[in-house]
Amino acid sequence: MLTKKFTRSLAAALLGLALAASVHAQQKPQVLILATGGTIAGAGASAANSATYQAAKVPVDKLIAGIPEIAKLADVRGEQVFQIASESFTDEHLLTLGRRVAALAKQDNVDAIVITHGTDTLEETAFFLNLVVPTDKPVVLVGSMRPGTALSADGALNLYNAVATASDRASRGKGVLVVMNDEIFSGRDVAKTINIRTEAFKSPWGSLGMVVEGKTYWFRAPVKRHTVNSEFNIDSVKSLPSVGIAYGSGNATDVAYKALAASGAKAIIHAGTGNGSVSAQVVPALRELRQQGVQIIRSARVTGGGFVLRNAEQPDDQYDWVVSHDLNPQKARILAALALTRTTDAREIQRFFMEY
């Protein structure tokens, strides 16, 4: 028989555990917003200026203060990493941001990270982080197509939706995400496909879900390798080798390819027509550059869906070339640079492009 004293002590202990669990359950997620500039931090001369404005003007604390509803979703704090327009993002910026995100993701007091970013290169940063940050915590990139001073500005709702997505435990393990215009995308394959209009970001494979009034609705998940399953880790990436992009077109010549190689490019992304096609007058130069050790990677300027088939259009096995699969030229540049930090074997680089 249990004594009354022991029974009371047991009941008190159980009550204490229940109260502690209840308090823990009521705690809001700890979300850190890293600001890098861009249109979401931009300002125009008047409310009528939605396309003419100065990017990277508003600091992160003012962005957060302008959306008091965010406090209902999470305990939010901000950090200004950069204050630049994203067309000026360099590889050094990528490395700095990646190291900061990875360091924060290791902290117990950070449950999720939101990154405000200019839209011009947002997709490249998202893909880079998707490859090099080994965490299952939500990392969400967000931007805007209109400055906050414009009529019908989209930045405030985009940021609110990004924090809502980051706060959702269902976002864990899905890789780096991009939230724009009420949609949730994989950072791997989303791209800016339109300028000026707010529905600018699309993926050829569709969005992963939507955000409506602060609630996420999921419909699919990424299947390519990312974050915790990636072979790349920002802690071991000291620098990124030079990778150039040359654009294929009618009447194309080999001038751009030779110039990129002469300037030190270790790989060249061919943004080809159709199925990554290479014009007859360019093929000899690319074969010569490959013999000199430059990696040749066939991508495509066609981005509406589909992918570059290996050994179609060009005998890639014979030439020791790589195809980018479904990655557009700018994303192919990111993966090629990381791949070159590990190997110069074209077959191994091809494996990266198929798996990531």
PDB file of all heavy atoms in Angstrom, residues 275-278 298 307-317 321 323:
ATOM      1  N   ASN A 275      17.636  21.683 -75.908  1.00  0.00           N
ATOM      2  CA  ASN A 275      18.150  20.645 -75.029  1.00  0.00           C
ATOM      3  C   ASN A 275      19.632  20.866 -74.706  1.00  0.00           C
ATOM      4  O   ASN A 275      20.453  19.959 -74.804  1.00  0.00           O
ATOM      5  CB  ASN A 275      17.946  19.266 -75.684  1.00  0.00           C
ATOM      6  CG  ASN A 275      18.317  18.112 -74.764  1.00  0.00           C
ATOM      7  OD1 ASN A 275      18.286  18.241 -73.556  1.00  0.00           O
ATOM      8  ND2 ASN A 275      18.691  17.002 -75.361  1.00  0.00           N
ATOM      9  N   GLY A 276      19.976  22.097 -74.359  1.00  0.00           N
ATOM     10  CA  GLY A 276      21.374  22.406 -74.083  1.00  0.00           C
ATOM     11  C   GLY A 276      22.234  22.305 -75.318  1.00  0.00           C
ATOM     12  O   GLY A 276      23.434  22.016 -75.234  1.00  0.00           O
ATOM     13  N   SER A 277      21.637  22.581 -76.483  1.00  0.00           N
ATOM     14  CA  SER A 277      22.340  22.420 -77.757  1.00  0.00           C
ATOM     15  C   SER A 277      23.542  23.349 -77.851  1.00  0.00           C
ATOM     16  O   SER A 277      23.545  24.449 -77.289  1.00  0.00           O
ATOM     17  CB  SER A 277      21.392  22.710 -78.918  1.00  0.00           C
ATOM     18  OG  SER A 277      20.249  21.858 -78.844  1.00  0.00           O
ATOM     19  N   VAL A 278      24.574  22.885 -78.568  1.00  0.00           N
ATOM     20  CA  VAL A 278      25.789  23.665 -78.792  1.00  0.00           C
ATOM     21  C   VAL A 278      25.967  23.836 -80.301  1.00  0.00           C
ATOM     22  O   VAL A 278      25.970  22.858 -81.043  1.00  0.00           O
ATOM     23  CB  VAL A 278      27.035  22.957 -78.212  1.00  0.00           C
ATOM     24  CG1 VAL A 278      28.261  23.852 -78.341  1.00  0.00           C
ATOM     25  CG2 VAL A 278      26.804  22.573 -76.747  1.00  0.00           C
ATOM     26  N   ARG A 298      26.653  21.419 -69.892  1.00  0.00           N
ATOM     27  CA  ARG A 298      25.551  21.850 -70.752  1.00  0.00           C
ATOM     28  C   ARG A 298      24.281  22.049 -69.932  1.00  0.00           C
ATOM     29  O   ARG A 298      23.728  21.109 -69.377  1.00  0.00           O
ATOM     30  CB  ARG A 298      25.289  20.821 -71.848  1.00  0.00           C
ATOM     31  CG  ARG A 298      26.367  20.710 -72.892  1.00  0.00           C
ATOM     32  CD  ARG A 298      25.890  19.973 -74.149  1.00  0.00           C
ATOM     33  NE  ARG A 298      25.405  18.625 -73.895  1.00  0.00           N
ATOM     34  CZ  ARG A 298      24.139  18.230 -74.096  1.00  0.00           C
ATOM     35  NH1 ARG A 298      23.229  19.082 -74.538  1.00  0.00           N
ATOM     36  NH2 ARG A 298      23.789  16.969 -73.850  1.00  0.00           N
ATOM     37  N   PHE A 307      14.396  18.866 -68.913  1.00  0.00           N
ATOM     38  CA  PHE A 307      15.787  18.818 -68.473  1.00  0.00           C
ATOM     39  C   PHE A 307      16.675  18.435 -69.645  1.00  0.00           C
ATOM     40  O   PHE A 307      16.210  17.914 -70.670  1.00  0.00           O
ATOM     41  CB  PHE A 307      15.970  17.833 -67.314  1.00  0.00           C
ATOM     42  CG  PHE A 307      15.339  16.489 -67.523  1.00  0.00           C
ATOM     43  CD1 PHE A 307      16.023  15.477 -68.167  1.00  0.00           C
ATOM     44  CD2 PHE A 307      14.048  16.245 -67.060  1.00  0.00           C
ATOM     45  CE1 PHE A 307      15.461  14.238 -68.354  1.00  0.00           C
ATOM     46  CE2 PHE A 307      13.464  14.993 -67.250  1.00  0.00           C
ATOM     47  CZ  PHE A 307      14.160  13.991 -67.897  1.00  0.00           C
ATOM     48  N   VAL A 308      17.966  18.702 -69.480  1.00  0.00           N
ATOM     49  CA  VAL A 308      18.954  18.405 -70.521  1.00  0.00           C
ATOM     50  C   VAL A 308      19.294  16.919 -70.464  1.00  0.00           C
ATOM     51  O   VAL A 308      19.720  16.410 -69.423  1.00  0.00           O
ATOM     52  CB  VAL A 308      20.220  19.257 -70.335  1.00  0.00           C
ATOM     53  CG1 VAL A 308      21.269  18.891 -71.390  1.00  0.00           C
ATOM     54  CG2 VAL A 308      19.883  20.740 -70.427  1.00  0.00           C
ATOM     55  N   LEU A 309      19.094  16.237 -71.565  1.00  0.00           N
ATOM     56  CA  LEU A 309      19.381  14.806 -71.645  1.00  0.00           C
ATOM     57  C   LEU A 309      20.848  14.566 -71.997  1.00  0.00           C
ATOM     58  O   LEU A 309      21.383  15.183 -72.916  1.00  0.00           O
ATOM     59  CB  LEU A 309      18.497  14.147 -72.705  1.00  0.00           C
ATOM     60  CG  LEU A 309      17.005  14.039 -72.370  1.00  0.00           C
ATOM     61  CD1 LEU A 309      16.229  13.648 -73.606  1.00  0.00           C
ATOM     62  CD2 LEU A 309      16.786  13.029 -71.254  1.00  0.00           C
ATOM     63  N   ARG A 310      21.457  13.670 -71.255  1.00  0.00           N
ATOM     64  CA  ARG A 310      22.851  13.332 -71.527  1.00  0.00           C
ATOM     65  C   ARG A 310      22.947  12.550 -72.839  1.00  0.00           C
ATOM     66  O   ARG A 310      22.129  11.678 -73.127  1.00  0.00           O
ATOM     67  CB  ARG A 310      23.426  12.522 -70.366  1.00  0.00           C
ATOM     68  CG  ARG A 310      24.915  12.251 -70.502  1.00  0.00           C
ATOM     69  CD  ARG A 310      25.538  11.730 -69.222  1.00  0.00           C
ATOM     70  NE  ARG A 310      26.950  11.459 -69.449  1.00  0.00           N
ATOM     71  CZ  ARG A 310      27.917  12.383 -69.416  1.00  0.00           C
ATOM     72  NH1 ARG A 310      27.605  13.638 -69.135  1.00  0.00           N
ATOM     73  NH2 ARG A 310      29.158  12.069 -69.653  1.00  0.00           N
ATOM     74  N   ASN A 311      23.968  12.886 -73.622  1.00  0.00           N
ATOM     75  CA  ASN A 311      24.237  12.249 -74.920  1.00  0.00           C
ATOM     76  C   ASN A 311      23.135  12.477 -75.951  1.00  0.00           C
ATOM     77  O   ASN A 311      23.075  11.774 -76.957  1.00  0.00           O
ATOM     78  CB  ASN A 311      24.491  10.748 -74.748  1.00  0.00           C
ATOM     79  CG  ASN A 311      25.756  10.473 -73.966  1.00  0.00           C
ATOM     80  OD1 ASN A 311      26.790  11.093 -74.208  1.00  0.00           O
ATOM     81  ND2 ASN A 311      25.672   9.563 -73.009  1.00  0.00           N
ATOM     82  N   ALA A 312      22.287  13.436 -75.694  1.00  0.00           N
ATOM     83  CA  ALA A 312      21.343  13.890 -76.720  1.00  0.00           C
ATOM     84  C   ALA A 312      21.852  15.245 -77.199  1.00  0.00           C
ATOM     85  O   ALA A 312      22.301  16.060 -76.402  1.00  0.00           O
ATOM     86  CB  ALA A 312      19.935  14.018 -76.156  1.00  0.00           C
ATOM     87  N   GLU A 313      21.812  15.496 -78.461  1.00  0.00           N
ATOM     88  CA  GLU A 313      22.353  16.701 -79.092  1.00  0.00           C
ATOM     89  C   GLU A 313      23.876  16.666 -79.205  1.00  0.00           C
ATOM     90  O   GLU A 313      24.451  17.021 -80.215  1.00  0.00           O
ATOM     91  CB  GLU A 313      21.926  17.986 -78.359  1.00  0.00           C
ATOM     92  CG  GLU A 313      20.432  18.223 -78.286  1.00  0.00           C
ATOM     93  CD  GLU A 313      19.820  18.536 -79.635  1.00  0.00           C
ATOM     94  OE1 GLU A 313      20.577  18.855 -80.560  1.00  0.00           O
ATOM     95  OE2 GLU A 313      18.583  18.450 -79.750  1.00  0.00           O
ATOM     96  N   GLN A 314      24.540  16.227 -78.119  1.00  0.00           N
ATOM     97  CA  GLN A 314      25.999  16.145 -78.119  1.00  0.00           C
ATOM     98  C   GLN A 314      26.438  14.824 -77.486  1.00  0.00           C
ATOM     99  O   GLN A 314      25.795  14.349 -76.539  1.00  0.00           O
ATOM    100  CB  GLN A 314      26.616  17.315 -77.348  1.00  0.00           C
ATOM    101  CG  GLN A 314      26.396  18.671 -77.984  1.00  0.00           C
ATOM    102  CD  GLN A 314      27.089  18.817 -79.327  1.00  0.00           C
ATOM    103  OE1 GLN A 314      28.156  18.249 -79.556  1.00  0.00           O
ATOM    104  NE2 GLN A 314      26.486  19.586 -80.237  1.00  0.00           N
ATOM    105  N   PRO A 315      27.552  14.228 -77.943  1.00  0.00           N
ATOM    106  CA  PRO A 315      28.058  12.976 -77.358  1.00  0.00           C
ATOM    107  C   PRO A 315      28.844  13.270 -76.081  1.00  0.00           C
ATOM    108  O   PRO A 315      30.089  13.289 -76.078  1.00  0.00           O
ATOM    109  CB  PRO A 315      28.943  12.408 -78.460  1.00  0.00           C
ATOM    110  CG  PRO A 315      29.453  13.624 -79.182  1.00  0.00           C
ATOM    111  CD  PRO A 315      28.334  14.634 -79.133  1.00  0.00           C
ATOM    112  N   ASP A 316      28.135  13.504 -74.989  1.00  0.00           N
ATOM    113  CA  ASP A 316      28.772  13.932 -73.741  1.00  0.00           C
ATOM    114  C   ASP A 316      29.796  12.916 -73.228  1.00  0.00           C
ATOM    115  O   ASP A 316      30.839  13.302 -72.702  1.00  0.00           O
ATOM    116  CB  ASP A 316      27.696  14.188 -72.675  1.00  0.00           C
ATOM    117  CG  ASP A 316      26.751  15.307 -73.073  1.00  0.00           C
ATOM    118  OD1 ASP A 316      27.222  16.441 -73.251  1.00  0.00           O
ATOM    119  OD2 ASP A 316      25.548  15.045 -73.219  1.00  0.00           O
ATOM    120  N   ASP A 317      29.489  11.620 -73.363  1.00  0.00           N
ATOM    121  CA  ASP A 317      30.452  10.608 -72.918  1.00  0.00           C
ATOM    122  C   ASP A 317      31.767  10.731 -73.688  1.00  0.00           C
ATOM    123  O   ASP A 317      32.854  10.659 -73.105  1.00  0.00           O
ATOM    124  CB  ASP A 317      29.872   9.202 -73.129  1.00  0.00           C
ATOM    125  CG  ASP A 317      28.765   8.876 -72.136  1.00  0.00           C
ATOM    126  OD1 ASP A 317      28.632   9.602 -71.139  1.00  0.00           O
ATOM    127  OD2 ASP A 317      28.033   7.902 -72.370  1.00  0.00           O
ATOM    128  N   TRP A 321      31.924  15.703 -71.189  1.00  0.00           N
ATOM    129  CA  TRP A 321      31.143  16.843 -70.739  1.00  0.00           C
ATOM    130  C   TRP A 321      30.116  16.397 -69.700  1.00  0.00           C
ATOM    131  O   TRP A 321      29.848  15.204 -69.527  1.00  0.00           O
ATOM    132  CB  TRP A 321      30.414  17.507 -71.908  1.00  0.00           C
ATOM    133  CG  TRP A 321      31.314  18.193 -72.900  1.00  0.00           C
ATOM    134  CD1 TRP A 321      32.650  18.375 -72.831  1.00  0.00           C
ATOM    135  CD2 TRP A 321      30.893  18.780 -74.142  1.00  0.00           C
ATOM    136  NE1 TRP A 321      33.116  19.051 -73.935  1.00  0.00           N
ATOM    137  CE2 TRP A 321      32.055  19.312 -74.761  1.00  0.00           C
ATOM    138  CE3 TRP A 321      29.669  18.924 -74.795  1.00  0.00           C
ATOM    139  CZ2 TRP A 321      32.018  19.967 -75.997  1.00  0.00           C
ATOM    140  CZ3 TRP A 321      29.623  19.574 -76.024  1.00  0.00           C
ATOM    141  CH2 TRP A 321      30.787  20.088 -76.618  1.00  0.00           C
ATOM    142  N   VAL A 323      26.088  17.284 -68.048  1.00  0.00           N
ATOM    143  CA  VAL A 323      24.812  17.983 -68.270  1.00  0.00           C
ATOM    144  C   VAL A 323      24.240  18.389 -66.924  1.00  0.00           C
ATOM    145  O   VAL A 323      24.443  17.708 -65.912  1.00  0.00           O
ATOM    146  CB  VAL A 323      23.796  17.123 -69.051  1.00  0.00           C
ATOM    147  CG1 VAL A 323      24.334  16.777 -70.434  1.00  0.00           C
ATOM    148  CG2 VAL A 323      23.410  15.864 -68.288  1.00  0.00           C
TER     149      VAL A 323
END
